[in-house]
Each structure stands twice: as structure tokens, then as C-alpha cells.
Amino acid sequence: MNWIRQIGRTTLDRVSATGRAGLMLFGALVAPPSFKNIPLTIKQVYVVGVQSLAIIIVSGLFIGMVMALQGYTILTDYGAEGSLGPMVALSLLRELGPVVTALLFAGRAGSALTAEIGLMKATEQLSSLEMMAVDPLRRVVAPRFWAGMLSMPMLALIFSAVGILGGHLVGVDWLGVDSGSYWSIMQSTVDWDKDVINGVIKSLVFALVVTWIAIFKGYDSIPTSEGISQATTQTVVFSSLAVLGLDFVLTALMFGIE
Amino acid sequence: MDYLVNVDNMTFSRGDRVIYDGISLRVPKGKITAVMGPSGIGKTTLLKLIGGQLQPDQGDITFDGDSIVRMSRRELYQTRRRMSMLFQSGALFTDMSVFDNVAFPLREHTKLSESVIATIVALKLHAVGLRGAAQLMPSELSGGMARRAALARAIALDPDLIMYDEPFAGQDPISMGVLVKLIRELNDALNLTSIVVTHDVTEVLTIADYIYIMADKRIIGEGTAEQIQGSKSELVQQFLRGEADGPVPFHFPAPSLEKSLLGEEI
């Protein structure tokens, strides 16, 4: 009978954690806007966004190159290598851009956010903010949350753009696809609302989920070295799973039914 | 006598574990009050209760006549500006220099110009002897210096009450001496009220005006240093002399060793 009890306990833990996560976000965001937070948010955009640029650009470049290579070998069988441009662009803008960016963001910036906030808790910095009559939710959580929301869509767009250039590098410069058809068919196929905006919406949703999980896991961590390492791992695992699951749901909603 | 903090018949538990069972204590204005007791009985918890970070299950805690327990969030944040706490780790913000750490509460809560803030910070750092270390980062400070820098930050807004959480833990004898001197001098010079939570008996007996000794969820002894030393309570005497066995047993509760070894009961 123990396993029934275990299921009940796990469910209750999950539900109460969801409640705490909701309260945390509510406390952080539902507040009169404060101008003091703007420089703090800009600093966090630098930390989570700008410092993630290198990994985003390198990954985007290689993914674009690999896609062009794979796409070329398949398309050329049907004499359709002219469609390489739209293939690369659509897969990046609709799927790979937002999804891979979110996964990389979870590993690069999400884990760092969890560890940072967890250590601030362990070293009593959060408590001491509270005792100094400064709300840690507004001071620590809110700027990091907004920074994630701002950075992720931009990173995803940069990822896609670099990927398209990578595809050009391999498809056109190396394998000899006509440069004009690479760009012009891409231009006529890719739709602004349907492809670009939907991709941005996806990455906004992923930004919300990944940043929220990362901050909450840090804020709710057990303030010991073991607890923080566990929280960091959970951030990466949970946000990766959430991104992949949500991607399916969003794709079904956006592209599933014509 | 006037009391700044008044804990009245307060009960607090964490989960199923009772931490305090109906304790009452009073902190006189302008004095140093020490709360002593063995590790792990929730002395830090007491400070967090006074600071309103935790809520008691029963009873009341007042600060200068106002109940911390019944305050709205806004009132609590207003009241916290009048109290400050020195954490065991110092809790300096690791991404700011010592100067910015001390300036932090001033920048948050006052509209003073940067030049005035710089003057106040210099004075506060001078009081703890660290004016020369203003531009260092917390990671460059020794443990004792970090605690002094945190002390400068704690007095930045000239609070009425300052709470020290284990200020002497892990300090070498010189840093310990410096801290003892600072706590006494700051208390008298700035007309503060201090609560020192600690288990370092000798240091406390030299500076505290009034002492509470806690064990087993309640207060087992109180009085001035002389009264405490003359206490008839075996528990108090065991604590003061640091004896390994006594009313606080050496062994964590367990079935008898003979039975365990014979495999009757584990």
C-alpha cells in the first residue's frame, strides 16, 4: 500500500510547489513599476542574454550547415535543390530556432540563474535583503525574469539568422546551389505572420517557462550544496522537458490544422 | 524600565517539531541582551521571528509597542527599517564592493545625494575600522573583516535595534575581541538596543547586560551575568561550564546499547 501513499505525497508536493511558484511570480511581477529596476534588468540582460550569444551563434551556424548538407543530399535526388533555402529557413524559424535556443538557454543561463539565487539564499543574502526592508522578489526575481523574457526571443532570431547564413555557406558556397534561388524562393515562401511571428511567440512561451522554472528552483532550493546541485539539475531537466512538450502543443495549435 | 522588544508567551513549530513552547522574553532599551543556548535549538529562528520573517503559531511579539505579528506587509517593511540584523555569514552582497554594500540600504531607503552617502559610508566604515577596505570585494575580506563590513552595513541607517546572529562563531581570538569591543561601543555610542544570539559563554558574560539561556523549547534561566553565574539550575551550570553530560544528555535518545547489540530492538 506504500506506493499509493507515495503517489499521493508526490502529487501533493507537485501541487504545492506549483502554488509556491505561482505566488513567487505573482509577488515579483504584480507591483508598481519601479525605475530602480531598469538598470538591474539591463545588467541581467547582459548576463543571461549577451553572455549566451557565443554559444547561440556557434550552435546556430553548425545547425544551419548540417541542415543544408542533409537537405541537399535528399533534395538533389528529386532535382529540388532549389528548395534548400526555404527548407532551412522554415525549419529554423518554426522549430529549431526557438526550441534549440530554449534548450541551450536552459543549460547556459537557466542553470546559472538557479545556482546564483540558490547561493544567495544559502549565504543569507535573500534574508538580509528582507531584513533591510527590500523585497527580494522585486529586487532579485523580477529583473531576472524580465531579462529572460527579453533575451530569449532575440537569441532565437539571431540563432535562425545565423543558421540561414550557415545553410548558405554549405549549400551555396560549397555544394553549388544557385544563390539567387536560395534567397528568392526563401523570400517567397516564408510568411511573416505564419512563420516569423509564430516562432517569436513560441520563444516567448519558452522564455516564460524556462526563466520561471530556473528562478523558482533557485528560490525554493534547499540552501545546502547538495540542495543547490539538485535544484540546478532539475532546472535543466524540467525546462528541457517542458520546452519539448510545449513545442508539440504550440506546433499543433499553430501549424496543425489549416 | 522601557522595553523595545517584547516576546509574549510565543509558540512556534516547524512541521511537527515544536521549536518554542510558550516562551516570553523582554529586551530593554539601550541595553545588550544575550540569548544563549546549545546549537540547533533555533536561536536564529528567534531573530527571524522578531524580524517578522517567520510567524509564530501563538503568542505575540511587539517592537516598540507595535505587534510584529499583526502588522500589514507595508507596516512590517516600515518597521524593518528601524531594525537590522547581522547574519552569521555576514551576508554581504558578493557582486558589490564593500563601499556599495554599506551604501546599499542608504540608496534604497533615502534620497540622499551620492556625496552625502559617500560621507556616511566612510564614517560607518571608520567606526568598524575598515575605511581603507572600502573598494575591496567581499571575496577579498577575511571572515572577521567580512563580519565587520556587514556590521557597518547594519548600522548604515542608524537603526534602533540590531540583532547579532552568532557574531563570534568561527572567529580567531583577535577578531573576537574586536567584535566584542565593537558591539559594546556601538551600542553605547549610537544608543542602540542589541540582541546577541550566541553560545560563546565567556564573551557574552563580559558584554551582556541581561542574559537569557534557552534549552528544550523554553527559557531555563535569565538574569545579569552575576545572577546567571550564581544560578542553582543544573542545566544552566552545565551550559556555562561546558560539561559533556548532565541534564542535557550526551547520548541522543536510543534504546539501550545492550538490547541493540543482542538484536532485540533496533
Side-chain angles (χ1 to χ4, degrees):
Chain A
M1 277 309 160
N2 249 342
W3 61 276
I4 296 182
R5 189 192 295 174
Q6 196 60 44
I7 292 174
R9 177 176 298 259
T10 314
T11 314
L12 282 179
D13 283 352
R14 291 273 179 280
V15 171
S16 85
T18 313
R20 288 201 303 279
L23 282 177
M24 180 200 78
L25 201 64
F26 186 82
L29 304 185
V30 181
S34 144
F35 291 106
K36 274 182 187 159
N37 268 350
I38 293 174
L40 289 171
T41 309
I42 292 173
K43 188 182 165 203
Q44 288 304 320
V45 169
Y46 176 76
V47 175
V48 300
V50 177
Q51 294 194 341
S52 303
L53 266 179
I55 188 176
I56 292 293
I57 289 175
V58 172
S59 316
L61 186 71
F62 276 103
I63 288 208
M65 281 160 54
V66 167
M67 287 225 310
L69 203 53
Q70 291 279 14
Y72 181 82
T73 53
I74 295 169
L75 291 173
T76 196
D77 286 345
Y78 304 97
E81 59 270 25
S83 300
L84 189 65
M87 193 211 87
V88 171
L90 287 180
S91 353
L92 280 168
L93 285 169
R94 287 182 178 184
E95 288 296 332
L96 290 172
V99 172
V100 179
T101 303
L103 295 179
L104 292 171
F105 188 87
R108 159 68 183 73
S111 57
L113 281 178
T114 306
E116 188 192 16
I117 295 179
L119 271 171
M120 287 177 94
K121 187 176 180 184
T123 54
E124 296 173 314
Q125 292 182 46
L126 295 183
S127 257
S128 98
L129 274 176
E130 232 176 279
M131 284 307 299
M132 279 188 260
V134 176
D135 187 346
L137 288 178
R138 285 177 208 168
R139 176 89 198 178
V140 174
V141 170
R144 283 166 176 77
F145 177 80
W146 289 121
M149 291 297 284
L150 280 172
S151 308
M152 179 100 80
M154 290 197 264
L155 289 173
L157 286 174
I158 292 170
F159 184 96
S160 299
V162 174
I164 290 169
L165 290 177
H168 187 272
L169 197 68
V170 169
V172 177
D173 298 332
W174 180 24
L175 298 171
V177 175
D178 180 55
S179 177
S181 69
Y182 186 86
W183 292 118
S184 68
I185 304 184
M186 186 192 299
Q187 206 172 9
S188 61
T189 321
V190 176
D191 186 66
W192 174 259
D193 287 345
K194 206 171 140 229
D195 301 316
V196 181
I197 297 295
N198 271 345
V200 171
I201 292 174
K202 270 190 179 182
S203 74
L204 277 171
V205 174
F206 297 159
L208 170 78
V209 172
V210 174
T211 323
W212 189 6
I213 291 179
I215 293 171
F216 175 67
K217 281 288 164 194
Y219 195 74
D220 202 49
S221 63
I222 303 158
T224 60
S225 33
E226 197 194 1
I228 292 170
S229 100
Q230 210 172 35
T232 316
T233 312
Q234 282 180 352
T235 292
V236 178
V237 173
F238 287 2
S239 27
S240 305
L241 291 177
V243 164
L244 295 170
L246 275 172
D247 182 48
F248 178 77
V249 175
L250 288 171
T251 306
L253 288 174
M254 290 168 173
F255 306 104
I257 307 142
E258 288 294 314
Chain B
M1 193 183 283
D2 231 2
Y3 295 98
L4 187 64
V5 176
N6 212 329
V7 176
D8 185 26
N9 198 18
M10 186 261 296
T11 300
F12 178 76
S13 48
R14 232 181 210 150
D16 297 333
R17 200 163 78 94
V18 178
I19 311 264
Y20 298 119
D21 192 5
I23 66 163
S24 300
L25 57 87
R26 293 186 296 182
V27 178
K29 254 182 197 165
K31 304 277 186 204
I32 299 179
T33 304
V35 179
M36 291 204 283
S39 313
I41 56 153
K43 298 191 295 294
T44 307
T45 309
L46 179 67
L47 299 186
K48 290 197 168 169
L49 282 159
I50 295 173
Q53 289 189 300
L54 298 170
Q55 288 279 325
D57 301 335
Q58 273 169 36
D60 199 10
I61 301 168
T62 58
F63 177 83
D64 208 6
D66 301 319
S67 166
I68 299 273
V69 182
R70 283 193 290 276
M71 265 178 200
S72 72
R73 202 180 147 73
R74 180 186 295 270
E75 289 167 336
L76 182 62
Y77 270 76
Q78 286 295 331
T79 309
R80 278 187 189 152
R81 294 184 193 189
R82 296 174 52 202
M83 45 170 94
S84 68
M85 182 158 167
L86 184 70
F87 288 85
Q88 193 173 348
S89 59
L92 291 169
F93 302 125
T94 39
D95 56 342
M96 298 180 192
S97 68
V98 170
F99 179 92
D100 289 327
N101 261 290
V102 180
F104 181 84
L106 296 164
R107 286 177 181 151
E108 281 295 319
H109 294 310
T110 67
K111 292 196 165 60
L112 298 173
S113 70
E114 273 303 308
S115 65
V116 178
I117 288 181
T119 314
I120 298 177
V121 171
L123 288 173
K124 301 292 176 188
L125 280 173
H126 188 76
V128 299
L130 287 182
R131 196 160 42 86
Q135 294 313 321
L136 296 182
M137 294 303 280
S139 55
E140 296 171 281
L141 302 178
S142 71
M145 283 162 79
R147 223 162 280 188
R148 277 150 69 188
L151 183 51
R153 185 178 66 180
I155 56 171
L157 283 175
D158 293 321
D160 297 334
L161 171 71
I162 178 160
M163 299 186 273
Y164 298 88
D165 183 11
E166 300 280 4
F168 312 116
Q171 299 292 313
D172 64 69
I174 299 176
S175 317
M176 203 118 107
V178 170
L179 282 165
V180 169
K181 174 169 136 32
L182 276 175
I183 292 173
R184 183 79 253 178
E185 283 180 357
L186 289 175
N187 191 77
D188 297 346
L190 304 177
N191 198 19
L192 290 164
T193 302
S194 309
I195 304 178
V196 184
V197 150
T198 182
H199 48 235
D200 289 282
V201 174
T202 34
E203 283 68 33
V204 162
L205 291 178
T206 57
I207 55 165
D209 297 308
Y210 202 80
I211 301 170
Y212 287 93
I213 299 188
M214 299 199 331
D216 197 22
K217 300 164 203 162
R218 56 202 171 81
I219 288 164
I220 57 163
E222 60 179 281
T224 59
E226 294 85 52
Q227 287 167 341
I228 287 283
Q229 277 169 312
S231 163
K232 299 250 183 325
S233 159
E234 280 180 51
L235 203 52
V236 171
Q237 289 304 328
Q238 184 195 0
F239 185 77
L240 291 183
R241 297 205 199 101
E243 286 156 357
D245 210 353
V248 176
F250 172 71
H251 287 287
F252 192 82
S256 79
L257 183 63
E258 293 82 355
K259 279 188 184 170
S260 295
L261 290 177
L262 291 171
E264 285 176 27
E265 198 181 339
I266 294 172

